[in-house]
Amino acid sequence: DIQATKGAFAALRADGRVIAWGDSSCGGDSCTVNDELWAVKQICSSSKVFSAIRENGDVIIWGDGPGPMIMPGRCFQLGLKDVRQVVSCSEFFAALHSNGKVTTWSRMGKFQLSEPEDIEEIRASSGAFAAISNDGSLHAWGDPAAGGSLDVVTSLGPRTWTARLKRRRVMRE
């Protein structure tokens, strides 16, 4: 697996270690978290920040001075434990936890836990996130111009989806 920010690359090696190179302000220097980058199962990137999920579900981030609320290294202060998937859009990440909760954060450290707690799958566009719950409900948040609004969704193919139209203001504060 290889991921890229605006100015750097990170690659997941077969032994579960991660190597990064390129512009240090875009995550090309992972020296502050190298001791944490082992037993990694997934890496993800935003425009200037990388994240890695370890086999135990811990999330490690590094890159553009992640911000005042997120310090490089393990992200326990954001509750990023027991994570099974991370996706990103532009400046934001979303982590899907094993219990179905989603945590969304930016490099500036703002985050929000989603409701409900039964998310099965999550995807990202250039500026929004979409998720499907175990019951088939569809959820979206972020920039409406990038798909962060379900106002126009009535059905997808042969299966009709229930659209929960709760507005989530994670992207625009």
Side-chain angles (χ1 to χ4, degrees):
D1 187 21
I2 189 167
Q3 295 288 320
T5 61
K6 287 182 177 182
F9 293 96
L12 178 57
R13 298 180 352 179
D15 65 359
R17 306 269 317 159
V18 175
I19 56 170
W21 67 98
D23 184 346
S24 62
S25 70
C26 293
D29 180 2
S30 61
C31 67
T32 60
V33 293
N34 275 344
D35 291 343
E36 301 290 333
L37 293 175
W38 52 272
V40 171
K41 65 179 182 178
Q42 180 198 352
I43 53 176
C44 187
S45 63
S46 68
S47 61
K48 292 186 174 184
V49 178
F50 289 105
S51 70
I53 304 175
R54 291 189 20 200
E55 293 291 339
N56 66 2
D58 290 348
V59 175
I60 292 88
I61 61 167
W62 71 98
D64 180 26
M69 293 176 65
I70 303 175
M71 301 310 295
R74 253 182 253 222
C75 299
F76 291 125
Q77 69 272 28
L78 294 180
L80 297 180
K81 296 185 209 177
D82 201 24
V83 171
R84 67 178 185 195
Q85 180 188 12
V86 173
V87 295
S88 68
C89 68
S90 184
E91 299 290 327
F92 293 82
F93 288 94
L96 176 58
H97 299 263
S98 294
N99 65 3
K101 286 187 177 183
V102 175
T103 303
T104 309
W105 78 96
S106 76
R107 64 190 184 97
M108 293 308 294
K110 297 175 183 173
F111 67 96
Q112 175 179 337
L113 291 176
S114 73
E115 299 290 336
E117 301 179 3
D118 62 347
I119 301 299
E120 181 164 323
E121 185 176 355
I122 189 166
R123 293 288 184 250
S125 70
S126 63
F129 296 102
I132 298 174
S133 295
N134 289 325
D135 67 3
S137 298
L138 187 61
H139 309 270
W141 64 100
D143 183 353
S149 172
L150 295 174
D151 291 341
V152 299
V153 176
T154 57
S155 68
L156 299 174
R159 181 174 176 185
T160 300
W161 297 88
T162 303
R164 294 197 179 150
L165 299 177
K166 290 183 180 178
R167 301 273 181 187
R168 301 192 194 285
R169 297 286 178 198
V170 175
M171 303 294 286
R172 294 182 182 194
E173 296 183 6

